[in-house]
Amino acid sequence: MPELPEVETIARGVNERVCGDRIVEVWFCGHPQPFKNSPEIQSKGLQNRAILAVHRTGKHIVCELGPDGDKPASASIRPLEERAIKSSAQWIVHLGMTGRLLVTTPDAPLAAHTHARLTLASGRELRFVDPRRFGRLEFRDLSHSEPFSAAGVDPLAVSAEEFRLLFHGRHLPIKAALLNQKLLSGVGNIYADESLFRAGIRPRRQCVRLTRAELEGLRLALREVLEEAIRMGGSSVSDFVDANGMRGLFQLEHCVYQRTGLPCRRCQRPIQRMVLAGRGTHYCTHCQH
Ligand SMILES: [Zn+2]
């Protein structure tokens, strides 16, 4: 399952390649699963719109689109300042378990399970490929729909005070709270385990028992591990492929995740595993308190 750093990496890669381009033709597969609204609505909505920017919101990729029939956007649009971009519509891509968003040339071999092909004015194609079909595509016309927003706060943008208030007084293990997408959006199992290790906090600790300093340490640790993984192009745990169709080149050096029984990188004692909130949870009994 692509996690936040993978989604961020893909969104940035796609943005670099398609920002300012225009959708001239849309093809969708016959399967109903990937479509949150009908392929007809999406196809009609997407055609002839400029792509103003592509960015990540939570674990979704959002393509900000210009008005129908607008002139191609100029190259001067600053992609990551999405707040400053006045978009008329959005195409929202959720990668699900195995989804990929690829920028290719039209003659590139068509991967099995390709569900969408958007032909762009530049001659490139934006393709959505998803073997297991848990991914979702949605079109929103912002003249009568709200812009897409994630349920929780973004872990890369959350302030110290916001972070503290999210977890303050909660009677549940901190690991479960980190995974709750209504609190923070986009933190998955790997980065929950890794950030708790880095912050020296046991996954089972109750939120209510964490001090202000511990919570601030955790906020910073979480941001660090996510930013490191983004810098390294996302850690390729399963079959993550970036927007070019390349595998992530670097594997994040996990400290605890899936290292059960291996020596802790800090103290050399074996990493422990337990199941918490239904998820395999990895930690060091010596380095985490
Ligand atoms: Zn240790």
Side-chain angles (χ1 to χ4, degrees), residues 186-204:
V187 180
N189 207 30
I190 302 174
Y191 300 101
D193 282 3
E194 291 297 313
S195 61
L196 285 168
F197 173 78
R198 197 171 292 209
I201 298 168
R202 290 251 184 130
R204 214 199 280 276

Side-chain angles (χ1 to χ4, degrees), residues 61-229:
I61 298 170
V62 180
C63 303
E64 302 286 353
L65 306 171
D68 192 358
D70 186 28
K71 294 234 159 45
S74 77
S76 66
I77 283 177
R78 288 160 299 169
L80 287 175
E81 294 172 42
E82 65 262 19
R83 300 273 181 276
I85 287 172
K86 283 246 187 301
S87 61
S88 306
Q90 292 177 325
W91 193 47
I92 301 135
V93 178
H94 190 251
L95 298 172
M97 303 282 286
T98 54
R100 291 182 277 154
L101 195 60
L102 309 173
V103 181
T104 67
T105 51
D107 57 344
L110 202 61
H113 312 290
T114 298
H115 301 298
R117 297 171 75 175
L118 274 54
T119 309
L120 307 177
S122 63
R124 287 173 166 166
E125 268 190 24
L126 186 58
R127 294 181 186 175
F128 178 67
V129 180
D130 185 12
R132 293 188 61 186
R133 291 189 222 148
F134 287 108
R136 292 291 177 266
L137 304 172
E138 181 187 2
F139 175 79
R140 287 194 193 193
D141 184 337
L142 300 184
S143 61
H144 44 77
S145 304
E146 286 295 307
F148 178 78
S149 64
V153 183
D154 194 282
L156 291 178
V158 64
S159 72
E161 185 63 5
E162 260 181 310
F163 193 87
R164 194 179 67 79
L165 291 173
L166 284 179
F167 301 105
H168 178 75
R170 286 184 190 272
H171 293 269
L172 82 167
I174 183 63
K175 161 96 187 241
L178 280 175
L179 292 177
N180 183 341
Q181 302 297 306
K182 289 181 184 145
L183 302 177
L184 287 174
S185 78
V187 180
N189 207 30
I190 302 174
Y191 300 101
D193 282 3
E194 291 297 313
S195 61
L196 285 168
F197 173 78
R198 197 171 292 209
I201 298 168
R202 290 251 184 130
R204 214 199 280 276
R205 287 273 300 281
Q206 297 283 307
C207 297
V208 69
R209 309 296 290 267
L210 293 174
T211 65
R212 188 180 281 250
E214 282 175 321
L215 281 171
E216 179 57 1
L218 178 59
R219 181 181 77 96
L220 297 174
L222 179 59
R223 198 169 68 187
E224 270 173 24
V225 295
L226 290 171
E227 283 176 349
E228 275 172 29

Side-chain angles (χ1 to χ4, degrees), residues 197 264 266-267 284 286-287:
F197 173 78
C264 171
R266 203 176 284 163
C267 74
C284 175
H286 182 74
C287 296

